[in-house]
Amino acid sequence: MQPDSKADSQSARSFIEQARRAQIIDAAITTIADSGYSSASMAQIAKTAGISRGLISYHFANKDELIAQLVIKVYTDAGEYMGARVSTESTPAGQLREYIASNLDYMAVHPKGIIALVEIFSSGALANLPGIDASEGEEQSLAPVVEVFERGQQLGQFADFNPRFMAQALRNVIDGVSPHLSDPQLDLEMYKQQIITMFERATGAQHPSEEVPET
Amino acid sequence: MQPDSKADSQSARSFIEQARRAQIIDAAITTIADSGYSSASMAQIAKTAGISRGLISYHFANKDELIAQLVIKVYTDAGEYMGARVSTESTPAGQLREYIASNLDYMAVHPKGIIALVEIFSSGALANLPGIDASEGEEQSLAPVVEVFERGQQLGQFADFNPRFMAQALRNVIDGVSPHLSDPQLDLEMYKQQIITMFERATGAQHPSEEVPET
Amino acid sequence: MQPDSKADSQSARSFIEQARRAQIIDAAITTIADSGYSSASMAQIAKTAGISRGLISYHFANKDELIAQLVIKVYTDAGEYMGARVSTESTPAGQLREYIASNLDYMAVHPKGIIALVEIFSSGALANLPGIDASEGEEQSLAPVVEVFERGQQLGQFADFNPRFMAQALRNVIDGVSPHLSDPQLDLEMYKQQIITMFERATGAQHPSEEVPET
Amino acid sequence: MQPDSKADSQSARSFIEQARRAQIIDAAITTIADSGYSSASMAQIAKTAGISRGLISYHFANKDELIAQLVIKVYTDAGEYMGARVSTESTPAGQLREYIASNLDYMAVHPKGIIALVEIFSSGALANLPGIDASEGEEQSLAPVVEVFERGQQLGQFADFNPRFMAQALRNVIDGVSPHLSDPQLDLEMYKQQIITMFERATGAQHPSEEVPET
DNA sequence: GATGAATGAGTATTCATTCAT
DNA sequence: CATGAATGAATACTCATTCAT
């Protein structure tokens, strides 16, 4: 009959802790997205979050740890969202289309996260980040796309090309959109269609259904 | 008996001046390419050049000006080289192929310049650079490619797509190669062929000569 | 039916208070002895004690006060133990021997307290400590030894020397052992014998019984 | 006939460099001696030297390097002075006496250097210092004294004791003087005599000449 | 009594820039 | 022309201390 006040206060504290960490990560995302990685000092991030410098150090051991958590969060978020969307498709061509579409949709909803991620990646800051292996991360990022391409080629639904190169090219083209995310006039739908069409042509993608009518 | 001695010494000074500036820019390129932009302090650049810190400040008002001149130099160099190569082709498809080929060839010959450029771009250092308008620079960089695409479409030799988008995509894919330039195992010829094939497919490029046999 | 309940709860509080203070001081001793004074932050001490940072501040106004209490406690402890042992001897030579022996025995039993004390002293932290006058503390520390020396000289059982200097020298030699307390191979018995012999020679100590045979 | 102006200016610069380094080291000595090692921040040292914070970093890579150079300088200075004095003696007893006398004389002339050295040693700052091995340094410091004792014992001119322990004790007693160096009333001559007498008794030192009269 | 979140002053270090020589 | 000594602002980080809960 007595509510577990201790567990309550503990979970409350844990909640506060989590909320603060999330708030700080959000402030870091905003700061990096708005001013670039090199201008994103701890002081600037604290200012954006409206808290003191020391509080960041209280919740994160390092700047490196903060950035690492930021990367993991955005990366995981985007990965979950895209993974769910891509898995609704079964054909390689459909998965390719959905991969592109879901990635751009995610960019539309969380533009700053994506901008920050690209800033961090392109600043070469990954090298120091604890628990983050840059080359392994790239591998993980590319692997699912490479697999889609390889399966498509085995099924004869994709033309001949180097799957790894094509996966890199796809990532480069998609990531190339992010610098424009700050532009209010950006037409993401147009980009989405252009990228889909471009890679359908580049891969020679054939949707199985398109071949059925032949018979 | 020594006419124009004053003019001589002036032009000599001017020559020394130019030589010094070139030397410093080269040292900056080497330093940035080898150690990354964030590690490329003025002291480090001076050390690479084998001169004193102060001398850089004597020839360049700012670090920003030095970087700006570096960007302009590499950019101009590459532009001249590629322009000459592209202008040997007359058909849009041929020009596209030559644009890609010449760009990758330039990367093979001057990898450090390209690496430095990408380092600078991705460090967000452009924002401060005097005399360099990032969006204008992008415009200038994209314009010739956009023109090739538009002409190709008007001639019915390219499929339907947004030329500006396709130009950006091409730059993104080509620039995506540069992070690998440090890798000694990099096979630039493979990349060249893959990129050419990819964009021929993506643009639906038809070489006029291919159509002639029909008649 | 529960008389003195207020007094009880007060003394209970007082007891808890005392226990907490002792617990915190012990944690401080362990932390300082194990990691050095400069690494002994309040957070580290709290962690060692298994309590929160704030609780230390609740029981001690200051870090300085905590350290002061620590110094007083170890100092008092050692003083009581040694005083009891020394008072079993009546001759100056015997007291000198017992002073040395009891001091080294105390170091053997409570090495961490001694190590912590030396760490604090040698870190120059004494200057700030409230309620602790360094020179007065030294005076108190030296006084009993000085008295032994003076009495011994008056009785003709010690040679001629400056008693205050000799007391300082004795403390310096004994304190010189403590940096080695962390060494598991330390042979304290050897040190004890060496120090005793050394100071018996240095003071020209004669045990009265040694002279009796003469008659 | 032309003075080697280049060499001159180089040596002049080198001189300035050396002078600055010496000045900074002196400021560090003064600061540490006056305020203790833990209060001797780079800012404080710069203030004492009347220069900017950055200038110290310009001449010394690190605080650790600065402290290391300080230690080396004082240590070397004292070692040279004492070595010269001790080597004028041939008998172990004479060398012991001269070791003590020269050490105290050096303390009289350079009290702050000695105070700073003892502060640094006792603060446990040696562990980090580049190019300085604490235990090796102790070994080097003790070794010559140990040798004197061992030789004296072999010649039968010293009593039986552990030479290593006695060397440590001697260093402890001598170093125990340094905290009093700030005291203007300090009578170093008294200390010198007391320490010499003390260790002559403690070691049972016999000057060979003392034995001659017997015959 | 006890917690731990929060602050702000303090630390060493880096670096573009200036200037007397 | 050229040097390198010198400055000062900026950086990340540490930590004793405070306070609402």
Side-chain angles (χ1 to χ4, degrees):
Chain A
M1 283 302 162
Q2 286 172 311
D4 195 346
S5 69
K6 193 163 188 179
D8 270 10
S9 84
Q10 268 195 339
S11 64
R13 274 185 196 127
S14 185
F15 176 75
I16 290 181
E17 164 83 13
Q18 290 306 319
R20 268 285 183 234
R21 284 175 71 99
Q23 177 197 4
I24 293 171
I25 289 179
D26 280 350
I29 289 175
T30 301
T31 308
I32 295 174
D34 289 355
S35 323
Y37 182 73
S38 61
S39 300
S41 67
M42 294 291 259
Q44 198 55 237
I45 293 170
K47 202 174 179 181
T48 302
I51 58 176
S52 71
R53 241 157 300 141
L55 189 52
I56 300 185
S57 295
Y58 180 78
H59 288 286
F60 296 91
N62 265 348
K63 184 176 190 178
D64 283 346
E65 200 216 324
L66 167 58
I67 302 300
Q69 295 301 323
L70 184 164
V71 169
I72 289 171
K73 193 204 163 190
V74 175
Y75 194 80
T76 307
D77 259 31
E80 284 175 1
Y81 176 77
M82 290 168 61
R85 290 263 307 257
V86 169
S87 64
T88 63
E89 295 286 331
S90 55
T91 67
Q95 288 175 335
L96 171 61
R97 200 199 313 112
E98 201 55 27
Y99 180 88
I100 297 169
S102 64
N103 202 332
L104 286 174
D105 287 347
Y106 187 85
M107 291 168 88
V109 183
H110 301 293
K112 297 205 166 178
I114 296 294
I115 296 175
L117 212 61
V118 172
E119 274 285 331
I120 293 168
F121 278 21
S122 62
S123 297
L126 311 93
N128 318 321
L129 300 190
I132 292 193
D133 181 345
S135 60
E136 187 190 341
E138 194 194 354
E139 205 51 47
Q140 281 188 353
S141 163
L142 253 35
V145 188
V146 171
E147 280 172 28
V148 168
F149 288 151
E150 287 176 341
R151 202 172 124 252
Q153 288 178 330
Q154 285 163 6
L155 295 177
Q157 293 166 10
F158 281 161
D160 182 44
F161 55 80
N162 182 324
R164 213 188 139 71
F165 158 77
M166 189 63 78
Q168 275 178 22
L170 176 54
R171 283 255 45 93
N172 288 334
V173 171
I174 293 177
D175 289 343
V177 175
S178 53
H180 305 283
L181 282 175
S182 341
D183 181 357
Q185 298 190 341
L186 173 71
D187 183 354
L188 269 178
E189 280 304 312
M190 183 273 281
Y191 269 103
K192 192 198 293 183
Q193 289 310 325
Q194 291 286 325
I195 298 177
I196 289 174
T197 303
M198 173 184 174
F199 276 88
E200 282 181 341
R201 286 175 179 154
T203 59
Q206 294 177 343
H207 292 272
S209 55
E210 297 172 17
E211 296 172 351
V212 174
E214 268 185 34
T215 47
Chain B
M1 280 295 165
Q2 290 171 301
D4 282 344
S5 75
K6 197 164 191 179
D8 269 8
S9 88
Q10 268 196 335
S11 64
R13 268 185 202 137
S14 190
F15 175 75
I16 290 182
E17 164 84 12
Q18 289 307 317
R20 272 281 186 236
R21 286 174 68 100
Q23 176 195 9
I24 294 170
I25 288 178
D26 279 350
I29 288 175
T30 302
T31 308
I32 294 174
D34 289 354
S35 322
Y37 183 73
S38 61
S39 299
S41 66
M42 295 289 260
Q44 198 56 235
I45 294 170
K47 201 174 181 182
T48 302
I51 60 175
S52 72
R53 276 193 270 284
L55 192 50
I56 299 185
S57 294
Y58 180 81
H59 287 286
F60 296 91
N62 259 347
K63 184 177 193 181
D64 285 344
E65 199 216 323
L66 166 58
I67 302 299
Q69 297 301 322
L70 183 164
V71 170
I72 290 172
K73 193 206 165 192
V74 175
Y75 194 81
T76 307
D77 257 32
E80 285 175 1
Y81 176 78
M82 289 168 61
R85 290 264 304 259
V86 169
S87 65
T88 63
E89 295 285 329
S90 53
T91 67
Q95 289 174 335
L96 171 61
R97 200 198 312 110
E98 201 56 26
Y99 179 88
I100 296 169
S102 64
N103 201 333
L104 286 176
D105 286 346
Y106 186 85
M107 289 168 89
V109 182
H110 301 293
K112 294 201 171 183
I114 297 295
I115 295 175
L117 216 59
V118 172
E119 276 284 332
I120 293 167
F121 279 20
S122 65
S123 296
L126 311 93
N128 319 320
L129 299 189
I132 291 195
D133 181 344
S135 59
E136 188 191 342
E138 195 194 353
E139 204 52 47
Q140 283 187 352
S141 161
L142 255 33
V145 188
V146 171
E147 280 171 27
V148 169
F149 287 151
E150 286 176 341
R151 201 171 124 253
Q153 288 179 329
Q154 286 163 6
L155 295 176
Q157 292 166 9
F158 281 160
D160 181 43
F161 54 80
N162 182 324
R164 210 187 141 69
F165 158 77
M166 190 63 77
Q168 273 178 24
L170 177 54
R171 283 255 45 93
N172 289 333
V173 171
I174 294 177
D175 290 343
V177 175
S178 41
H180 304 283
L181 280 175
S182 335
D183 179 359
Q185 297 190 343
L186 173 71
D187 182 355
L188 268 179
E189 280 304 312
M190 183 275 281
Y191 268 103
K192 193 197 290 182
Q193 289 310 322
Q194 290 285 325
I195 296 177
I196 289 175
T197 303
M198 175 184 172
F199 275 87
E200 284 181 341
R201 286 175 181 154
T203 58
Q206 294 177 340
H207 292 273
S209 53
E210 296 171 19
E211 295 172 352
V212 174
E214 266 185 36
T215 49
Chain C
M1 281 299 165
Q2 289 172 305
D4 283 339
S5 74
K6 197 162 189 179
D8 268 12
S9 86
Q10 269 193 338
S11 64
R13 268 185 202 134
S14 191
F15 175 75
I16 291 181
E17 165 83 13
Q18 290 305 319
R20 271 282 185 236
R21 285 173 70 99
Q23 175 195 7
I24 293 171
I25 289 178
D26 279 351
I29 289 175
T30 302
T31 307
I32 294 173
D34 289 355
S35 322
Y37 183 72
S38 61
S39 300
S41 65
M42 294 289 259
Q44 197 56 233
I45 294 171
K47 200 174 179 180
T48 303
I51 59 174
S52 71
R53 275 192 270 281
L55 191 52
I56 299 184
S57 295
Y58 181 81
H59 287 286
F60 296 91
N62 259 348
K63 185 177 191 179
D64 285 344
E65 200 216 322
L66 166 58
I67 301 300
Q69 295 302 322
L70 185 163
V71 169
I72 290 171
K73 193 207 164 190
V74 174
Y75 196 80
T76 307
D77 257 33
E80 285 175 1
Y81 176 78
M82 290 168 61
R85 291 264 305 260
V86 170
S87 64
T88 64
E89 296 284 332
S90 54
T91 68
Q95 289 174 335
L96 171 61
R97 199 198 311 110
E98 200 57 24
Y99 179 88
I100 297 170
S102 62
N103 201 334
L104 286 176
D105 287 346
Y106 186 84
M107 290 168 89
V109 181
H110 301 293
K112 294 202 170 181
I114 297 295
I115 295 175
L117 216 59
V118 172
E119 276 284 331
I120 293 168
F121 279 20
S122 63
S123 296
L126 311 91
N128 318 318
L129 299 189
I132 292 195
D133 181 345
S135 60
E136 187 191 340
E138 195 194 353
E139 204 54 47
Q140 283 188 353
S141 162
L142 254 36
V145 188
V146 171
E147 279 172 28
V148 169
F149 288 152
E150 287 176 340
R151 204 172 122 251
Q153 288 179 330
Q154 285 162 6
L155 294 176
Q157 294 167 8
F158 281 161
D160 182 42
F161 54 80
N162 182 325
R164 215 190 133 69
F165 158 77
M166 189 63 78
Q168 273 177 23
L170 176 54
R171 283 255 45 92
N172 289 334
V173 172
I174 293 178
D175 291 341
V177 175
S178 41
H180 304 285
L181 280 177
S182 334
D183 180 359
Q185 296 191 343
L186 173 71
D187 182 355
L188 269 178
E189 279 304 313
M190 183 274 281
Y191 269 102
K192 195 197 290 183
Q193 289 309 324
Q194 291 285 327
I195 297 177
I196 288 174
T197 303
M198 173 184 175
F199 276 86
E200 283 182 342
R201 287 175 179 154
T203 58
Q206 294 177 342
H207 292 271
S209 55
E210 295 172 18
E211 296 173 352
V212 175
E214 266 186 35
T215 47
Chain D
M1 286 300 163
Q2 287 174 309
D4 194 347
S5 70
K6 194 163 190 179
D8 269 10
S9 85
Q10 268 194 337
S11 64
R13 274 185 198 129
S14 185
F15 176 74
I16 289 181
E17 163 85 12
Q18 290 306 317
R20 270 284 184 231
R21 284 174 70 99
Q23 177 197 5
I24 293 170
I25 288 178
D26 279 350
I29 289 175
T30 302
T31 308
I32 293 174
D34 290 354
S35 323
Y37 182 72
S38 61
S39 300
S41 66
M42 294 291 261
Q44 198 55 238
I45 294 170
K47 202 174 179 181
T48 302
I51 59 177
S52 71
R53 241 157 300 142
L55 190 52
I56 299 184
S57 295
Y58 180 78
H59 287 285
F60 297 91
N62 265 349
K63 183 175 191 179
D64 283 345
E65 200 216 322
L66 167 58
I67 301 301
Q69 295 301 323
L70 185 163
V71 169
I72 290 171
K73 191 202 166 194
V74 175
Y75 194 81
T76 306
D77 259 32
E80 283 175 3
Y81 176 77
M82 289 168 61
R85 292 263 305 259
V86 170
S87 64
T88 63
E89 296 287 330
S90 53
T91 66
Q95 289 175 334
L96 171 62
R97 200 198 313 109
E98 200 57 24
Y99 179 88
I100 297 169
S102 64
N103 202 332
L104 285 174
D105 286 347
Y106 187 85
M107 289 168 89
V109 182
H110 301 293
K112 296 204 169 183
I114 296 295
I115 297 176
L117 213 60
V118 173
E119 275 284 331
I120 293 167
F121 278 20
S122 63
S123 297
L126 312 92
N128 318 320
L129 299 189
I132 292 193
D133 182 345
S135 60
E136 188 191 340
E138 194 195 353
E139 204 53 45
Q140 281 189 354
S141 164
L142 253 36
V145 188
V146 171
E147 279 171 28
V148 168
F149 287 151
E150 286 176 342
R151 202 171 125 254
Q153 288 178 330
Q154 286 163 5
L155 296 176
Q157 293 168 9
F158 281 160
D160 182 44
F161 54 80
N162 182 325
R164 212 188 141 70
F165 158 78
M166 189 62 80
Q168 274 177 23
L170 176 54
R171 284 255 45 95
N172 289 332
V173 171
I174 293 178
D175 291 342
V177 176
S178 53
H180 305 283
L181 282 175
S182 339
D183 180 359
Q185 298 190 342
L186 174 72
D187 182 355
L188 269 177
E189 279 304 314
M190 182 273 282
Y191 269 104
K192 192 198 293 183
Q193 289 310 323
Q194 290 286 325
I195 297 177
I196 289 174
T197 304
M198 174 184 172
F199 276 87
E200 284 181 341
R201 287 175 180 155
T203 58
Q206 294 177 342
H207 293 272
S209 54
E210 295 172 21
E211 296 173 351
V212 174
E214 266 184 38
T215 48

